[in-house]
Amino acid sequence: MTAVEDEVRHIETGPAPTRYARGWHCLGLIRDFTDGKPHQIKAFGQKLVVFAGEDGNVNVLDAYCRHMGGDLSQGEVKGNEIACPFHDWRWGGDGRCKSIPYARRVPLRARTAAWPTMVQDGMLFVWNDPEGNPPPADAAIPKIAGYEDPEWTDWVWYTTTIEGANCREIVDNVVDMAHFFYVHYSFPTYFKNIFEGHVATQIMNGVGREDVARPQAAGSDAPKNKGTSSTASYYGPSFMIDDLTYHYEDGNDVPSVLINCHYPIDENSFVLQYGVMVKKLPGLDDEAATGMARKMGDFIRLGFEQDVEIWRNKARIENPLLCEEDGPVYQLRRWYEQFYVDVGEVQAEMTDRFEFEIDTTKPNAAWRREVEENIARRNAAQQEQPV
């Protein structure tokens, strides 16, 4: 064995970035913010307040009043303004103080930070840019064709907070073909990545493992699932749209849209959100179709919970040791880096088109043998059980 072969590779952890990614971040469903009350959101290392005025516009401001530091998220919405609970200073959605009930005039410098917002497809987005630039047109997130289409359900939505991990962990999954077998119990039979501009895409077909008990996405009474086909794209650093289709033995395909999105709380924690909407099968009423979406969402939640357990216990690693079938991890991270540098520092290698398709022949052959061996051992153990 040579000295190089015998050398122990050390993990380079590196600190998590203290800067937060430039881009649109989804804070959740708009329906959860339009009740006329202020809502506290911890994001980007600070506290924000989200409120809807009487005009229906949803606003996002820094939560602490610039007067004496009162918490606006503990205040009251009055008209189109948020009133501080400390001295009743009224702040508008543009960040300007509109009135002070006990004062003759408002100071000229009475202004706080207002965050650009966007409402689209039933979701509330906030724009973050450390340089303070407005969102450019080429950072747009495409609209979802099925939203508000009567042939589709509304969102079934899930939220969970991840402590002790940077949000890069979830983005790494874009290229991680092998973890779908070990963590999510699926054979990826086709796997390809495309990165270009601000979009990173994963194209995958898969079938379930027969040696692992897995709940049916559409319920136990549904026909057996034959597999899935998925085209999932991150539009910017934190918002993924997955056109996901479940294929069943009765010949019916169930198209769905899966949203996978997150926003950072700080450098070592983030809020993970995901939602699913499903195209209604013929003969299903709204209630039954929504129930099907809920079952599918609960099934997807199991997969995310498995990911979360990994993230909470793994090491941050800057120099992963890779084999050929691990996918373009370093290329993905170069793509991801564009959101953490100033716009003027974005390099062509971060945005130029890159394609990579993994040959799944060897992994699937090895995994098929493993599954068959597991089934054989399980059957033998059952035969040895006393009657």
PDB file of all heavy atoms in Angstrom, residues 192-199 201 203 331 335 347-356:
ATOM      1  N   LYS A 192     -30.645  12.220 -13.599  1.00  0.00           N
ATOM      2  CA  LYS A 192     -29.892  13.214 -14.371  1.00  0.00           C
ATOM      3  C   LYS A 192     -30.026  14.580 -13.704  1.00  0.00           C
ATOM      4  O   LYS A 192     -31.078  14.912 -13.146  1.00  0.00           O
ATOM      5  CB  LYS A 192     -30.414  13.285 -15.809  1.00  0.00           C
ATOM      6  CG  LYS A 192     -29.673  14.281 -16.698  1.00  0.00           C
ATOM      7  CD  LYS A 192     -30.200  14.249 -18.127  1.00  0.00           C
ATOM      8  CE  LYS A 192     -29.437  15.236 -19.003  1.00  0.00           C
ATOM      9  NZ  LYS A 192     -29.898  15.190 -20.415  1.00  0.00           N
ATOM     10  N   ASN A 193     -28.974  15.369 -13.784  1.00  0.00           N
ATOM     11  CA  ASN A 193     -28.977  16.746 -13.299  1.00  0.00           C
ATOM     12  C   ASN A 193     -28.673  17.719 -14.420  1.00  0.00           C
ATOM     13  O   ASN A 193     -27.866  17.430 -15.304  1.00  0.00           O
ATOM     14  CB  ASN A 193     -27.945  16.947 -12.193  1.00  0.00           C
ATOM     15  CG  ASN A 193     -28.313  16.277 -10.893  1.00  0.00           C
ATOM     16  OD1 ASN A 193     -27.594  15.401 -10.413  1.00  0.00           O
ATOM     17  ND2 ASN A 193     -29.421  16.670 -10.312  1.00  0.00           N
ATOM     18  N   ILE A 194     -29.329  18.878 -14.371  1.00  0.00           N
ATOM     19  CA  ILE A 194     -29.055  19.991 -15.280  1.00  0.00           C
ATOM     20  C   ILE A 194     -29.009  21.264 -14.434  1.00  0.00           C
ATOM     21  O   ILE A 194     -29.969  21.566 -13.713  1.00  0.00           O
ATOM     22  CB  ILE A 194     -30.128  20.131 -16.374  1.00  0.00           C
ATOM     23  CG1 ILE A 194     -30.277  18.832 -17.173  1.00  0.00           C
ATOM     24  CG2 ILE A 194     -29.786  21.294 -17.313  1.00  0.00           C
ATOM     25  CD1 ILE A 194     -31.456  18.840 -18.143  1.00  0.00           C
ATOM     26  N   PHE A 195     -27.906  21.995 -14.534  1.00  0.00           N
ATOM     27  CA  PHE A 195     -27.779  23.289 -13.866  1.00  0.00           C
ATOM     28  C   PHE A 195     -27.601  24.354 -14.943  1.00  0.00           C
ATOM     29  O   PHE A 195     -26.783  24.206 -15.844  1.00  0.00           O
ATOM     30  CB  PHE A 195     -26.564  23.334 -12.931  1.00  0.00           C
ATOM     31  CG  PHE A 195     -26.427  22.145 -12.020  1.00  0.00           C
ATOM     32  CD1 PHE A 195     -25.174  21.632 -11.717  1.00  0.00           C
ATOM     33  CD2 PHE A 195     -27.537  21.543 -11.460  1.00  0.00           C
ATOM     34  CE1 PHE A 195     -25.032  20.545 -10.887  1.00  0.00           C
ATOM     35  CE2 PHE A 195     -27.419  20.453 -10.623  1.00  0.00           C
ATOM     36  CZ  PHE A 195     -26.154  19.952 -10.334  1.00  0.00           C
ATOM     37  N   GLU A 196     -28.350  25.427 -14.822  1.00  0.00           N
ATOM     38  CA  GLU A 196     -28.192  26.531 -15.769  1.00  0.00           C
ATOM     39  C   GLU A 196     -28.803  27.791 -15.167  1.00  0.00           C
ATOM     40  O   GLU A 196     -29.949  27.777 -14.715  1.00  0.00           O
ATOM     41  CB  GLU A 196     -28.862  26.221 -17.102  1.00  0.00           C
ATOM     42  CG  GLU A 196     -28.582  27.272 -18.174  1.00  0.00           C
ATOM     43  CD  GLU A 196     -29.059  26.865 -19.556  1.00  0.00           C
ATOM     44  OE1 GLU A 196     -29.911  25.952 -19.654  1.00  0.00           O
ATOM     45  OE2 GLU A 196     -28.578  27.445 -20.542  1.00  0.00           O
ATOM     46  N   GLY A 197     -28.039  28.882 -15.180  1.00  0.00           N
ATOM     47  CA  GLY A 197     -28.533  30.120 -14.610  1.00  0.00           C
ATOM     48  C   GLY A 197     -28.853  29.943 -13.140  1.00  0.00           C
ATOM     49  O   GLY A 197     -28.032  29.432 -12.366  1.00  0.00           O
ATOM     50  N   HIS A 198     -30.059  30.344 -12.733  1.00  0.00           N
ATOM     51  CA  HIS A 198     -30.441  30.218 -11.320  1.00  0.00           C
ATOM     52  C   HIS A 198     -31.268  28.966 -11.067  1.00  0.00           C
ATOM     53  O   HIS A 198     -31.870  28.820  -9.998  1.00  0.00           O
ATOM     54  CB  HIS A 198     -31.223  31.458 -10.870  1.00  0.00           C
ATOM     55  CG  HIS A 198     -32.638  31.528 -11.370  1.00  0.00           C
ATOM     56  ND1 HIS A 198     -32.949  31.618 -12.700  1.00  0.00           N
ATOM     57  CD2 HIS A 198     -33.830  31.511 -10.710  1.00  0.00           C
ATOM     58  CE1 HIS A 198     -34.269  31.650 -12.834  1.00  0.00           C
ATOM     59  NE2 HIS A 198     -34.834  31.581 -11.649  1.00  0.00           N
ATOM     60  N   VAL A 199     -31.284  28.014 -12.037  1.00  0.00           N
ATOM     61  CA  VAL A 199     -32.115  26.817 -11.933  1.00  0.00           C
ATOM     62  C   VAL A 199     -31.244  25.561 -11.852  1.00  0.00           C
ATOM     63  O   VAL A 199     -30.320  25.380 -12.647  1.00  0.00           O
ATOM     64  CB  VAL A 199     -33.076  26.704 -13.139  1.00  0.00           C
ATOM     65  CG1 VAL A 199     -33.983  25.483 -12.987  1.00  0.00           C
ATOM     66  CG2 VAL A 199     -33.901  27.972 -13.287  1.00  0.00           C
ATOM     67  N   THR A 201     -31.843  21.397 -11.721  1.00  0.00           N
ATOM     68  CA  THR A 201     -32.899  20.408 -11.971  1.00  0.00           C
ATOM     69  C   THR A 201     -32.402  18.994 -11.712  1.00  0.00           C
ATOM     70  O   THR A 201     -31.268  18.643 -12.036  1.00  0.00           O
ATOM     71  CB  THR A 201     -33.405  20.519 -13.418  1.00  0.00           C
ATOM     72  OG1 THR A 201     -33.977  21.818 -13.615  1.00  0.00           O
ATOM     73  CG2 THR A 201     -34.461  19.458 -13.733  1.00  0.00           C
ATOM     74  N   ILE A 203     -33.825  15.129 -12.591  1.00  0.00           N
ATOM     75  CA  ILE A 203     -34.797  14.292 -13.303  1.00  0.00           C
ATOM     76  C   ILE A 203     -34.586  12.856 -12.834  1.00  0.00           C
ATOM     77  O   ILE A 203     -33.472  12.323 -12.943  1.00  0.00           O
ATOM     78  CB  ILE A 203     -34.618  14.400 -14.825  1.00  0.00           C
ATOM     79  CG1 ILE A 203     -34.707  15.867 -15.268  1.00  0.00           C
ATOM     80  CG2 ILE A 203     -35.665  13.556 -15.556  1.00  0.00           C
ATOM     81  CD1 ILE A 203     -34.315  16.093 -16.721  1.00  0.00           C
ATOM     82  N   GLN A 331     -20.055  20.458  -8.454  1.00  0.00           N
ATOM     83  CA  GLN A 331     -20.662  21.350  -9.453  1.00  0.00           C
ATOM     84  C   GLN A 331     -21.936  21.992  -8.904  1.00  0.00           C
ATOM     85  O   GLN A 331     -22.202  23.173  -9.144  1.00  0.00           O
ATOM     86  CB  GLN A 331     -20.963  20.573 -10.738  1.00  0.00           C
ATOM     87  CG  GLN A 331     -19.736  20.168 -11.535  1.00  0.00           C
ATOM     88  CD  GLN A 331     -19.151  18.834 -11.074  1.00  0.00           C
ATOM     89  OE1 GLN A 331     -19.473  18.319 -10.002  1.00  0.00           O
ATOM     90  NE2 GLN A 331     -18.274  18.272 -11.890  1.00  0.00           N
ATOM     91  N   TRP A 335     -22.769  25.995  -8.314  1.00  0.00           N
ATOM     92  CA  TRP A 335     -24.024  26.642  -8.719  1.00  0.00           C
ATOM     93  C   TRP A 335     -24.644  27.373  -7.535  1.00  0.00           C
ATOM     94  O   TRP A 335     -25.069  28.528  -7.643  1.00  0.00           O
ATOM     95  CB  TRP A 335     -24.995  25.592  -9.258  1.00  0.00           C
ATOM     96  CG  TRP A 335     -26.384  26.106  -9.476  1.00  0.00           C
ATOM     97  CD1 TRP A 335     -26.855  26.737 -10.584  1.00  0.00           C
ATOM     98  CD2 TRP A 335     -27.492  26.044  -8.545  1.00  0.00           C
ATOM     99  NE1 TRP A 335     -28.185  27.077 -10.411  1.00  0.00           N
ATOM    100  CE2 TRP A 335     -28.593  26.673  -9.172  1.00  0.00           C
ATOM    101  CE3 TRP A 335     -27.642  25.537  -7.268  1.00  0.00           C
ATOM    102  CZ2 TRP A 335     -29.834  26.783  -8.539  1.00  0.00           C
ATOM    103  CZ3 TRP A 335     -28.868  25.647  -6.643  1.00  0.00           C
ATOM    104  CH2 TRP A 335     -29.948  26.271  -7.284  1.00  0.00           C
ATOM    105  N   GLN A 347     -19.528  34.120 -11.094  1.00  0.00           N
ATOM    106  CA  GLN A 347     -18.659  33.637 -12.159  1.00  0.00           C
ATOM    107  C   GLN A 347     -19.436  32.749 -13.137  1.00  0.00           C
ATOM    108  O   GLN A 347     -20.451  32.145 -12.783  1.00  0.00           O
ATOM    109  CB  GLN A 347     -17.494  32.842 -11.572  1.00  0.00           C
ATOM    110  CG  GLN A 347     -16.670  33.608 -10.547  1.00  0.00           C
ATOM    111  CD  GLN A 347     -15.959  34.792 -11.159  1.00  0.00           C
ATOM    112  OE1 GLN A 347     -15.367  34.697 -12.242  1.00  0.00           O
ATOM    113  NE2 GLN A 347     -16.011  35.936 -10.473  1.00  0.00           N
ATOM    114  N   ALA A 348     -18.915  32.658 -14.369  1.00  0.00           N
ATOM    115  CA  ALA A 348     -19.581  31.852 -15.399  1.00  0.00           C
ATOM    116  C   ALA A 348     -19.709  30.400 -14.976  1.00  0.00           C
ATOM    117  O   ALA A 348     -20.711  29.740 -15.293  1.00  0.00           O
ATOM    118  CB  ALA A 348     -18.811  31.964 -16.714  1.00  0.00           C
ATOM    119  N   GLU A 349     -18.723  29.868 -14.240  1.00  0.00           N
ATOM    120  CA  GLU A 349     -18.784  28.464 -13.832  1.00  0.00           C
ATOM    121  C   GLU A 349     -19.931  28.192 -12.860  1.00  0.00           C
ATOM    122  O   GLU A 349     -20.312  27.046 -12.658  1.00  0.00           O
ATOM    123  CB  GLU A 349     -17.457  28.048 -13.193  1.00  0.00           C
ATOM    124  CG  GLU A 349     -17.163  28.731 -11.878  1.00  0.00           C
ATOM    125  CD  GLU A 349     -15.889  28.233 -11.227  1.00  0.00           C
ATOM    126  OE1 GLU A 349     -15.167  27.445 -11.867  1.00  0.00           O
ATOM    127  OE2 GLU A 349     -15.635  28.603 -10.077  1.00  0.00           O
ATOM    128  N   MET A 350     -20.479  29.235 -12.269  1.00  0.00           N
ATOM    129  CA  MET A 350     -21.622  29.073 -11.383  1.00  0.00           C
ATOM    130  C   MET A 350     -22.938  29.006 -12.137  1.00  0.00           C
ATOM    131  O   MET A 350     -23.923  28.456 -11.602  1.00  0.00           O
ATOM    132  CB  MET A 350     -21.689  30.230 -10.381  1.00  0.00           C
ATOM    133  CG  MET A 350     -20.463  30.413  -9.517  1.00  0.00           C
ATOM    134  SD  MET A 350     -20.630  31.914  -8.503  1.00  0.00           S
ATOM    135  CE  MET A 350     -19.022  31.977  -7.703  1.00  0.00           C
ATOM    136  N   THR A 351     -22.985  29.549 -13.335  1.00  0.00           N
ATOM    137  CA  THR A 351     -24.261  29.695 -14.051  1.00  0.00           C
ATOM    138  C   THR A 351     -24.299  29.037 -15.418  1.00  0.00           C
ATOM    139  O   THR A 351     -25.382  28.869 -15.988  1.00  0.00           O
ATOM    140  CB  THR A 351     -24.600  31.178 -14.213  1.00  0.00           C
ATOM    141  OG1 THR A 351     -23.544  31.830 -14.928  1.00  0.00           O
ATOM    142  CG2 THR A 351     -24.781  31.854 -12.857  1.00  0.00           C
ATOM    143  N   ASP A 352     -23.134  28.675 -15.988  1.00  0.00           N
ATOM    144  CA  ASP A 352     -23.128  28.028 -17.304  1.00  0.00           C
ATOM    145  C   ASP A 352     -23.862  26.688 -17.240  1.00  0.00           C
ATOM    146  O   ASP A 352     -23.859  26.007 -16.214  1.00  0.00           O
ATOM    147  CB  ASP A 352     -21.701  27.797 -17.793  1.00  0.00           C
ATOM    148  CG  ASP A 352     -21.041  29.068 -18.305  1.00  0.00           C
ATOM    149  OD1 ASP A 352     -21.751  30.081 -18.451  1.00  0.00           O
ATOM    150  OD2 ASP A 352     -19.815  29.049 -18.546  1.00  0.00           O
ATOM    151  N   ARG A 353     -24.461  26.304 -18.359  1.00  0.00           N
ATOM    152  CA  ARG A 353     -25.211  25.038 -18.408  1.00  0.00           C
ATOM    153  C   ARG A 353     -24.278  23.861 -18.142  1.00  0.00           C
ATOM    154  O   ARG A 353     -23.188  23.756 -18.715  1.00  0.00           O
ATOM    155  CB  ARG A 353     -25.892  24.872 -19.763  1.00  0.00           C
ATOM    156  CG  ARG A 353     -26.793  23.623 -19.844  1.00  0.00           C
ATOM    157  CD  ARG A 353     -27.509  23.537 -21.186  1.00  0.00           C
ATOM    158  NE  ARG A 353     -28.343  22.349 -21.286  1.00  0.00           N
ATOM    159  CZ  ARG A 353     -29.600  22.267 -20.887  1.00  0.00           C
ATOM    160  NH1 ARG A 353     -30.179  23.336 -20.354  1.00  0.00           N
ATOM    161  NH2 ARG A 353     -30.285  21.149 -21.013  1.00  0.00           N
ATOM    162  N   PHE A 354     -24.748  22.963 -17.279  1.00  0.00           N
ATOM    163  CA  PHE A 354     -24.001  21.753 -16.940  1.00  0.00           C
ATOM    164  C   PHE A 354     -24.991  20.599 -16.874  1.00  0.00           C
ATOM    165  O   PHE A 354     -26.050  20.714 -16.256  1.00  0.00           O
ATOM    166  CB  PHE A 354     -23.292  21.915 -15.584  1.00  0.00           C
ATOM    167  CG  PHE A 354     -22.634  20.660 -15.090  1.00  0.00           C
ATOM    168  CD1 PHE A 354     -21.352  20.328 -15.494  1.00  0.00           C
ATOM    169  CD2 PHE A 354     -23.308  19.788 -14.225  1.00  0.00           C
ATOM    170  CE1 PHE A 354     -20.741  19.157 -15.041  1.00  0.00           C
ATOM    171  CE2 PHE A 354     -22.709  18.621 -13.779  1.00  0.00           C
ATOM    172  CZ  PHE A 354     -21.417  18.315 -14.185  1.00  0.00           C
ATOM    173  N   GLU A 355     -24.657  19.482 -17.515  1.00  0.00           N
ATOM    174  CA  GLU A 355     -25.517  18.294 -17.500  1.00  0.00           C
ATOM    175  C   GLU A 355     -24.704  17.093 -17.050  1.00  0.00           C
ATOM    176  O   GLU A 355     -23.529  16.943 -17.417  1.00  0.00           O
ATOM    177  CB  GLU A 355     -26.106  18.020 -18.890  1.00  0.00           C
ATOM    178  CG  GLU A 355     -27.037  19.092 -19.406  1.00  0.00           C
ATOM    179  CD  GLU A 355     -27.735  18.680 -20.701  1.00  0.00           C
ATOM    180  OE1 GLU A 355     -27.928  17.454 -20.899  1.00  0.00           O
ATOM    181  OE2 GLU A 355     -28.075  19.553 -21.502  1.00  0.00           O
ATOM    182  N   PHE A 356     -25.337  16.213 -16.282  1.00  0.00           N
ATOM    183  CA  PHE A 356     -24.671  14.994 -15.836  1.00  0.00           C
ATOM    184  C   PHE A 356     -25.716  13.915 -15.613  1.00  0.00           C
ATOM    185  O   PHE A 356     -26.668  14.109 -14.859  1.00  0.00           O
ATOM    186  CB  PHE A 356     -23.891  15.240 -14.534  1.00  0.00           C
ATOM    187  CG  PHE A 356     -23.018  14.093 -14.123  1.00  0.00           C
ATOM    188  CD1 PHE A 356     -21.709  14.007 -14.575  1.00  0.00           C
ATOM    189  CD2 PHE A 356     -23.498  13.108 -13.276  1.00  0.00           C
ATOM    190  CE1 PHE A 356     -20.887  12.954 -14.191  1.00  0.00           C
ATOM    191  CE2 PHE A 356     -22.686  12.042 -12.890  1.00  0.00           C
ATOM    192  CZ  PHE A 356     -21.382  11.970 -13.352  1.00  0.00           C
TER     193      PHE A 356
END
